[in-house]
Every structure is written in C-alpha cells, then in structure tokens.
Amino acid sequence: MQLVAFDRRRGKERIREMNLKYKFPAKFWWGAATSGPQSEGRFYKKNDNVFDYWYDTEPQDFFNRVGPNVASNFYNSYKEDISMMKQIGLNSVRTSIQWTRLIKDFETAEVDEDAVCFYNKVIDEFLKQGILPVMNLHHFDLPVELYKKYGGWESKKVVDMFVLFAKKCFELFGDRVKHWVTFNEPMVIVEGEYLYQFHYPKLVDGKKAVQVLYNLNLASAKVIEVFHKSVCAQNGGEIGIVLNLTPSYPRSQEEKDVKAANFVEDFFNRSFLDTAVKGKFTESLVETLKKDNVLWESTDEELKTIHDNTVDFLGVNYYQPRRAKAKEEPFDESKGWMPDKYFDDYKLPGCRMNPYRGWEIYPQAIYDIAINIRDNYNNISWYLSENGMGVEGEEKYIKEDGSIDDQYRIDFYEEHLSWLHKAIEEGSNCFGFHAWTPIDCWSWSNAYKNRYGYIAVDLATQIKTIKKSGYWIKKVAAQNGF
Ligand code: BG6
C-alpha cells in the first residue's frame, strides 16, 4: 500500500518536473544568507564590533533607533530558526562567525569557550537538519577595539590578527564546515567606512580607502593560504569570497561615458574580483592610482601571497545595477582624492525601481555577471550568494491566517532566476542561489526598515511566521526549478 502511495507521489513529482520551465543543475544550492551580527543579538558577547559601538554612541543614526542588541534572537532561538529553515526546504545557509563573539583576546586569538559551544551547537543543528552550513568570517563586523588601537583595516597588524581568528575557526569547526568565505562584500567596507559615510567611522578619505581596499585583499589571500595548508582543505573543504558585483552600465556608447563606466568597474568590481580569481590587480586601476599618487603600500612578498592564493569558488551578491556617465563638472580635489574623480552616477530615466530601498530593479544584470565570469574569469564555479527585495511596511500584506502575501518577492526572484537559468544553459558554472535572507534580520543603520526574509519576524514578540515566498522556495527547491 505504502509503496503504491510513494510511487504515485514520485510519479506526480516527475510529471511536475517534466513541466518545469526552468530546471536547474543537479545538487543546486537553494538556500539563503544571513550573518552573525544581523541575526544573533549581542547576548553574552564579550567584545563589541564597530556597529555595536556606533549604536551605543549614536542610536539616532539607526532606523527607529533599533540596534543590534536582539536582532532576530538567533542566539536563543537557533534551534527553532534552523528548523523553520528546514521547513521551507532550504538545503544550504550562509551565516557568519563573529570575530567579537569567538575571540576574547584579539592579539593572542584566545577563544571564549561559551562562544565555541554556541557555534558548535549551531553547526551541529544545521547538519542534523540536513542543511549545508556555509561559514563566512567577516560581515562588516570589525572589533571596535582594533579600530581604536590600530585604525582597523588600515593596519596590516589587524590583517594578521584576522588571520589568527580564521585559523582558530578552521581548527575548531573545519571538521564539519566544508564551505568557507573570507569576506562578505569587502568593497562595502571601503565605501561605507572611508568614502560615502554610511558605516562607522564614516570617514571621507580616498587615500585611506585605497589602502583598506588593498589590506582586505591581502587579508583574504592570507586566510586562503592558511586554509589551503590546513586539514580542512585536505578533507575536501573549499574557500571563497562573496563580492557585491554591481555591473556598471555606461549612459551611452560615447567614448567618455564608456571610459567612466570602465573606471567604475575597475575600482568597485575588479579591485576584488581580479585579485580573488586571477591573483592580480587590474593594470589600468594600478596605473590610475599611481598617477594620482594614492596607490597602496605593498611589498613584493604580499603581492606574491595575493597572486598565489586565489579562491576555490566565488559568491556574488546582486541587488541592483550601477550606471555611470562622464563627469559633468570637473572634480574638486581640494578635499582629497576620491574615485568619483572619474565618473558621475547616472540615473536611467524611467527605470524600474524598488521604491523602499531606492534601488533599480534590473534582473538581466544577473545574466551579464554570469557571462562575464564565464568568459573573463576562467568560468570559475560560483553561486548567487545574495539577491533580495527589501520592502518596508510588509504588515500591510498580512492575510487573515497571519502570513504575509509577498507575491512581489516571488515575482522578483522568478525574474532574476530566469536570467540566471539562461546563463547556466549557456555554460556559466553557477551552482546555487541564496536569497537574502532566511528570516527578517537587522540590517545595519537601516535596522528593520526593509524586510527581506522568507520568514517574518514580529519585533515585539519575536514570533516568526513563514511568508508566501517561504512556501514558494520550498516548492522550487523540491522540484529543483519552477
Ligand atoms: C547586503 C549585505 O549588501 O545587503 C547585508 O550583505 C544587508 O548585510 C543587505 O543586510 C540588505 O541591506 P539593506 O540596507 O537594504 O537592509
């Protein structure tokens, strides 16, 4: 009897699979991404990161004055949360190990035993639920102590302390975690902290920004070197980096616009992509920075480390495209060098927008990214490590049964996935799709303004409810397509 029922079910599944418009490769990752500082809450954390400190000193900078103290309470509810992730069919999830939680003393990398116990329980729970844990080592969460003492990522001493932290992570958790990430969106550290003032310490200093950009590349390569020499790699583990590759489209095909967009590519994308995959900085970028007298300080030995230690795989976060045009007014360099010397941002008239986040919606960019990786980056294996639609005031879409009808998010994902599918059909080596984010989480100074999750969080009660998109991804993951 049971066998008949099983066969009927499989039969139906097969028919559904045959009817799929978009079928993805076998073993495709259908998952989602979050991070430690955005989900755990500060419970029992021995050290503060730059965001903890910023919130404690300037809470008015955070949307509705909501800080990282509770976030989505993952520290206390990780079991229930992971079980909900399982319930919506995710087969892989990225989160991060917090430097400020795991390490008590940054100089010696002495660990906090409570934190070791916590991360062990989290990893074991993911594995027990059949979810592949992908562990990231840095998601903007620099220990504030290291900023105050050494200038944070401006300092190569901090680079070496980060390597010590990473080594500890590999030793402690590398027996079970097989997929590691050195950094999430390192360019955002450069932009937010040193150029455009949206992350603490909110500086505007192009020269420092360039050194930080270099140091982050060095840190990633040094961590990869340690990883590749460790037993984790010998046991089949892999390490990558997650980059926010925002393609830059020129306003027009006029030479001056194309040149402007090309500089944006050089500075904001290739400065991490070329080093991560090819082990070297883009020549045109180096030339420009040299000419402007702002090139980073480097040694031959460091450049060799960057050259010899490239990633095993790439994660690409994509939310919005970037558009550039030639400068309309000459750049005023009296306040110092900025990459903006070479371009102006361009807003395409009439483009589709996500009004809550103020970001353009342009799904086709996924295809362009994928083909660029295929043709110019050795067709390295990669996955779409974040993609998402942040919406403010989602409560207005609550149905009678208490769940949120976020059909707009489903449409957004299907459109992006259709372009990804096309690129895979054309040979791009993409092995997965992670949405931002499994459960609504705290998002830096935007706090809980825009919700992204498959699962909603009621901030007052911390009650979590699966949205319509959560049921959608469950089906997509089960069918391996839609
Ligand atoms: C990504 C980051 O770029 O964007 C996440 O990796 C962040 O950490 C997400 O939360 C959404 O950002 P925002 O500002 O729209 O809430």
Side-chain angles (χ1 to χ4, degrees):
M1 242 346 246
Q2 254 180 353
L3 259 182
V4 174
F6 172 78
D7 276 342
R8 266 196 211 127
R9 203 171 53 238
R10 271 304 293 148
K12 272 190 195 157
E13 269 173 25
R14 282 211 186 103
I15 290 169
R16 241 190 285 134
E17 276 174 21
M18 276 158 46
N19 290 334
L20 294 180
K21 187 161 178 203
Y22 303 105
K23 176 105 183 109
F24 285 79
K27 297 193 179 154
F28 205 67
W29 284 7
W30 294 106
T34 184
S35 76
Q38 296 180 264
S39 61
E40 289 170 16
R42 285 165 79 178
F43 309 98
Y44 306 109
K45 206 155 65 84
K46 304 286 185 299
N47 284 298
D48 288 339
N49 63 43
V50 280
F51 284 91
D52 299 329
Y53 176 78
W54 182 16
Y55 179 67
D56 289 346
T57 50
E58 294 172 298
Q60 70 281 2
D61 282 1
F62 293 76
F63 185 77
N64 282 348
R65 289 183 170 246
V66 175
N69 296 354
V70 178
S72 56
N73 196 35
F74 186 73
Y75 185 86
N76 299 304
S77 60
Y78 71 91
K79 263 196 185 170
E80 296 80 0
D81 290 3
I82 294 173
S83 142
M84 288 187 94
M85 294 178 202
K86 176 71 189 170
Q87 219 183 313
I88 59 166
L90 306 186
N91 62 18
S92 48
V93 167
R94 171 168 62 106
T95 184
S96 68
I97 296 175
Q98 295 197 66
W99 196 355
T100 50
R101 184 182 288 289
L102 188 74
I103 302 294
K104 253 195 333 205
D105 179 336
F106 303 113
E107 315 268 342
T108 61
E110 184 195 345
V111 295
D112 177 50
E113 288 306 331
D114 291 343
V116 175
C117 179
F118 170 68
Y119 287 119
N120 271 328
K121 286 190 294 189
V122 166
I123 291 164
D124 291 345
E125 193 61 30
F126 273 124
L127 294 172
K128 189 174 132 198
Q129 296 282 6
I131 298 175
L132 192 82
V134 182
M135 283 298 180
N136 170 27
L137 296 167
H138 196 79
H139 204 120
F140 318 150
D141 52 340
L142 174 77
V144 70
E145 182 188 317
L146 300 186
Y147 179 69
K148 289 187 174 165
K149 272 194 189 161
Y150 304 112
W153 291 114
E154 295 160 39
S155 156
K156 291 183 186 169
K157 194 169 165 65
V158 171
V159 168
D160 290 332
M161 282 188 248
F162 180 64
V163 178
L164 288 184
F165 156 63
K167 206 168 168 207
K168 275 280 177 241
C169 291
F170 303 148
E171 285 163 14
L172 290 163
F173 314 117
D175 56 334
R176 286 150 294 151
V177 176
K178 300 292 173 208
H179 297 88
W180 293 89
V181 169
T182 58
F183 285 92
N184 176 77
E185 301 185 350
M187 186 38 96
V188 168
I189 300 174
V190 178
E191 290 175 298
E193 297 185 19
Y194 291 91
L195 295 172
Y196 306 121
Q197 298 182 290
F198 58 89
H199 283 182
Y200 181 85
K202 300 179 275 179
L203 306 178
V204 182
D205 190 328
K207 173 111 175 107
K208 277 189 181 168
V210 169
Q211 189 64 50
V212 166
L213 182 156
Y214 174 81
N215 289 353
L216 290 167
N217 271 297
L218 179 64
S220 182
K222 282 191 166 189
V223 167
I224 293 172
E225 181 173 35
V226 167
F227 182 85
H228 282 155
K229 286 183 183 152
S230 73
V231 282
C232 303
Q234 285 142 28
N235 292 339
E238 293 198 327
I239 192 157
I241 192 167
V242 164
L243 303 177
N244 51 316
L245 296 184
T246 303
S248 323
Y249 300 101
R251 168 181 55 182
S252 73
Q253 286 311 309
E254 254 188 82
E255 197 189 331
K256 58 178 189 178
D257 286 337
V258 172
K259 215 170 144 197
N262 198 40
F263 177 80
V264 175
E265 277 291 324
D266 274 2
F267 190 83
F268 295 97
N269 293 336
R270 296 187 187 120
S271 56
F272 284 100
L273 183 58
D274 281 12
T275 40
V277 180
K278 299 178 183 167
K280 55 179 192 203
F281 287 99
T282 324
E283 271 169 34
S284 45
L285 176 67
V286 174
E287 270 167 32
T288 306
L289 298 177
K290 220 186 247 174
K291 172 177 73 69
D292 288 351
N293 211 16
V294 289
L295 188 65
W296 47 71
E297 280 176 22
S298 62
T299 66
D300 288 348
E301 194 188 344
E302 290 166 356
L303 291 171
K304 183 168 172 4
T305 302
I306 292 173
H307 178 264
D308 293 348
N309 296 285
T310 54
V311 292
D312 301 324
F313 67 91
L314 195 64
V316 177
N317 293 353
Y318 173 72
Y319 290 87
Q320 54 161 345
R322 187 163 188 159
R323 299 186 187 275
K325 61 182 179 188
K327 279 213 95 56
E328 304 208 319
E329 301 293 330
F331 179 69
D332 170 14
E333 218 163 328
S334 63
K335 292 193 199 92
W337 186 90
M338 289 284 278
D340 308 59
K341 178 175 175 182
Y342 294 102
F343 69 95
D344 277 345
D345 285 318
Y346 171 65
K347 186 151 181 344
L348 182 70
C351 64
R352 272 170 76 189
M353 294 292 290
N354 169 354
Y356 311 102
R357 192 57 181 84
W359 281 346
E360 184 183 339
I361 299 179
Y362 186 65
Q364 187 175 342
I366 297 267
Y367 174 81
D368 296 340
I369 292 172
I371 297 303
N372 182 34
I373 296 174
R374 184 194 70 185
D375 294 349
N376 301 313
Y377 293 90
N378 315 330
N379 204 11
I380 189 170
S381 68
W382 71 282
Y383 79 115
L384 189 55
S385 41
E386 282 181 31
N387 179 227
M389 164 112 178
V391 172
E392 189 175 356
E394 278 201 318
E395 319 74 71
K396 59 178 173 286
Y397 302 108
I398 291 189
K399 297 187 296 184
E400 268 174 20
D401 66 0
S403 68
I404 290 172
D405 183 352
D406 56 345
Q407 183 60 43
Y408 41 84
R409 183 165 289 115
I410 298 172
D411 296 342
F412 178 95
Y413 285 144
E414 289 195 345
E415 233 185 310
H416 283 76
L417 279 165
S418 68
W419 283 105
L420 181 63
H421 184 266
K422 178 172 160 59
I424 294 172
E425 295 267 280
E426 292 175 25
S428 184
N429 201 359
C430 175
F431 63 84
F433 167 79
H434 276 191
W436 184 266
T437 182
I439 300 175
D440 285 345
C441 66
W442 181 78
S443 194
W444 321 112
S445 61
N446 280 334
Y448 273 93
K449 177 177 180 285
N450 300 313
R451 305 301 184 99
Y452 283 85
Y454 284 133
I455 297 167
V457 175
D458 179 326
L459 276 194
T461 61
Q462 281 290 336
I463 290 176
K464 291 162 183 161
T465 316
I466 300 176
K467 301 180 195 174
K468 187 175 179 186
S469 59
Y471 296 104
W472 167 83
I473 190 63
K474 185 182 172 85
K475 197 168 161 200
V476 172
Q479 299 173 167
N480 200 25
F482 60 98

